[in-house]
Amino acid sequence: ITREVPARQPQTFDGPVLLDDRGIRLVDLSHQSDPDNPKYENGWRLFYVENNTDEFLTMNSLEVTVGGEPVDLFLWCDLPARSKAVVRMDLWPLQDLDFTTPSELGDLNMTVEFWNPHNYSESVREYTLTMPMVNTEPVVIS
């Protein structure tokens, strides 16, 4: 029995590169809305992450603030060696902040760590990242 499966072209993910260090790459894919409930805080933030190392890594956020206020947003993912993933950060905890429009939120600041669960003390790498919660770039339609 044979089965032909056409090769798929790898998908590319564009966005601001937040981290590119020693085999780890993290790209901000920005805010995505829930089509059934389009309020900003009912959406999520997407990130594209690559583990181009030879070891299994876990990624998680440690401290997260929005506009200088601590928030209970969380980012987590297991990354086998030489893997890629799109990771989702649910934004529903933003309901606890007092804002009228998303542009009032300011910057998202978070500390992200990558670590090997079999060797935490020798493998942990921490990065502090800052990005705007709302894209302020003008949209050009041609």
Side-chain angles (χ1 to χ4, degrees), residues 11 13 18-19 24-32 43-51 57-61 64 73-80 83-91 108 110 112-114 129 131:
Q11 188 170 0
F13 295 95
L18 302 173
L19 173 60
I24 298 172
R25 182 173 166 86
L26 186 65
V27 176
D28 178 17
L29 299 179
S30 75
H31 177 269
Q32 303 293 312
W44 45 87
R45 190 80 182 232
L46 294 180
F47 298 89
Y48 170 72
V49 62
E50 292 181 6
N51 173 12
L57 296 175
T58 294
M59 172 189 73
N60 64 285
S61 57
V64 181
L73 299 176
F74 194 71
L75 187 64
W76 174 88
C77 181
D78 278 338
L79 298 159
S83 66
K84 302 171 184 178
V86 174
V87 184
R88 174 176 151 164
M89 174 188 275
D90 290 322
L91 297 179
L108 169 68
M110 69 176 160
V112 178
E113 72 174 355
F114 292 82
L129 309 172
M131 67 219 74

Side-chain angles (χ1 to χ4, degrees), residues 96-125:
D96 297 339
L97 298 180
D98 184 26
F99 70 98
T100 306
T101 64
S103 60
E104 297 172 8
L105 291 170
D107 287 341
L108 169 68
N109 293 295
M110 69 176 160
T111 301
V112 178
E113 72 174 355
F114 292 82
W115 50 283
N116 182 327
H118 303 292
N119 190 11
Y120 178 83
S121 62
E122 293 182 25
S123 69
V124 68
R125 295 190 241 172

Side-chain angles (χ1 to χ4, degrees), residues 38-56:
K39 287 179 69 175
Y40 187 85
E41 60 271 25
N42 292 328
W44 45 87
R45 190 80 182 232
L46 294 180
F47 298 89
Y48 170 72
V49 62
E50 292 181 6
N51 173 12
N52 295 310
T53 71
D54 292 327
E55 63 182 325
F56 184 97

